[in-house]
Each structure stands twice: as structure tokens, then as C-alpha cells.
Amino acid sequence: MPTIISPVSPILPADKQLAPLPSSLAGVRVSLLDNSKANAGLLLGEIVEALARQEGAVPGIVERKSSASIPATPAALERLGRASDLVLAGTADCGSCSSGSVQDIVALEGAGIPCVLLGTDIFDGLIGQLAAWRGLPDLRVALTAHPIGGIGPSEVVAKALSLVPVVRDLATAAAS
Amino acid sequence: MDVPAAGRNSVPAETLGVVKGLLLPDGADVAVADWDAVRGVLGLRLVLDGVECKDCVMPREHLEMVALDALRRADQPVTAVRFVDPREFS
């Protein structure tokens, strides 16, 4: 089968803008977009609980995807948009789940909801490539050492607690 | 127009390295299936030997688009990337 090559270079997408951040997390509704990867729900839940205790954030809703490798449904994104001032999404600890989560975040940021993606360090480069491809190169990412899945609950909680100040700083305009 | 025969061994190492870097975290790799240096068309075969979670590797359509974008950002002489994905034949 012949390959047809366009003589026109594809145009790189114009960079999109991140949604504005709150100045603090006090009273901010923080929702979760759990992509169903192993330990994602525990990690995200521990972080939002800590943000509530330490910063006065208000836990919002939890949306759980049926598969990590697909984007969230439009209905789920709409519910998150209505119920949230900030969304924590994750986990980005594989290629296909990073791709799905970046796609979700681009949609939410485009709707004015700031997000933080939780992922693991070995996917940092891929997340950056995916974010650039989607036109949001400055996407906010909080990374921990790989892996998140396949470890015990106490290790997940420890990772979550170490990520709390990172997420807080990424999610507040005063610190950014 | 005469098009030179594609070569398997002439893909610039830096070009291949950009694509491998996208797959390495999941333990996947690529092998060159075809390379048309004149038109910049790169054909790759996804190698999943030893990969525990094959679904963790991005699907072919995403790989092709992300790889092309990454190659263009890295100023590599590629205009199209095609993957042969063994998952589609199993």
C-alpha cells in the first residue's frame, strides 16, 4: 500500500493556559480523579485528607475511571467541574495511564479547574512529552519514586505524606 | 520520482533514542522495520518481550502521535512514524 506524505508540516499546537490557582487551600474543594491504577485511590485519598487537616481544604468528590488507559467520560469531567476548585489526578505510573491522565487534566484545566497530576519519577519525561503534545507543557506534576502500585499500604501512605507539601505548593498561587 | 530503497540500519541513533525514551519506563522497546530517509518515514516494530504489563504501554495510535511530536520537538528528520504493534495480532 503506498504511503501518502503530506508536504505540509503538522503545526505544533499552541500552548494552552493553566487555570488560575487559589492563594491558599483554605475552603478549597479538592476532588479526586482516580484512574483505578493500583493504590491510586489510597494515595490520592491520603493526600486530600492531609490537605484538609493541615490547610483547611474541603474534600470534594471522587471519580474513578473504569480503566486507567482511557480518558474520563465527559459526564465525570462535568461532575468534577461542578464540584471542585482543585482536582488531584493519578496515578501516572505507566505509559497508557499517563496518557489518559494528561488528557483528563488538559480538559479540566481548559474548563478552569486547576489540577495536579500524581505520578512516579521514571515517567517524568513521558509525562512532559504528553503534556507538550496536548499543548499544556506546564502541567503541574508531583512525583514520587516508582512504583506506587505493588507496594504495601504503609508505603503508600508514606509516599502520600511526603507529597503533601509538594501538592500544596503546586496548587497555591502564593507558593508557585 | 525514484525513491531510494529504505534502509534498516541508517536511522540516526538520536532519532531512535527519542522513541525508545518514551517506551523505556514501561520496559518496552522498538526495532526498526523500515526507514525512508528521503521522505522521513520511520517504521517501527514494538518489542514487548519481557514486559509484564503490556496494556501499560501506550496504544499504537497514541504512540505514533506522541513519538512524531517528540521527534519534531527534538528536530529529528521524521515526517511520519508507523508502529507495528504485536498486541493487535494476539
Side-chain angles (χ1 to χ4, degrees), chain B residues 13-35:
Chain B
E14 189 180 349
T15 300
L16 211 50
V18 170
V19 181
K20 284 174 177 277
L22 300 173
L23 295 161
L24 188 63
D26 283 312
D29 200 355
V30 290
V32 177
D34 194 35
W35 169 234

Side-chain angles (χ1 to χ4, degrees), chain A residues 5 10 12 95-96 99 123 132, chain B residues 25-26 41 55-56 62 66 72-73:
Chain A
I5 305 297
L12 291 171
S96 59
S99 179
F123 288 95
Chain B
D26 283 312
V41 179
D55 288 339
C56 289
H62 272 189
V66 175
R72 293 185 64 240
R73 291 176 192 276

Side-chain angles (χ1 to χ4, degrees), chain B residues 6-89:
Chain B
R8 290 180 179 224
N9 300 317
S10 55
V11 180
E14 189 180 349
T15 300
L16 211 50
V18 170
V19 181
K20 284 174 177 277
L22 300 173
L23 295 161
L24 188 63
D26 283 312
D29 200 355
V30 290
V32 177
D34 194 35
W35 169 234
D36 183 337
V38 173
R39 296 189 295 179
V41 179
L42 180 59
L44 298 168
R45 181 171 54 83
L46 186 61
V47 177
L48 298 173
D49 299 344
V51 175
E52 287 183 18
C53 176
K54 292 181 172 55
D55 288 339
C56 289
V57 179
M58 276 188 289
R60 179 180 57 80
E61 297 88 344
H62 272 189
L63 271 176
E64 289 177 343
M65 290 187 283
V66 175
L68 180 60
D69 185 77
L71 288 164
R72 293 185 64 240
R73 291 176 192 276
D75 293 324
Q76 296 303 298
V78 178
T79 59
V81 182
R82 309 275 185 259
F83 274 89
V84 175
D85 187 341
R87 295 173 294 185
E88 297 178 1
F89 302 101

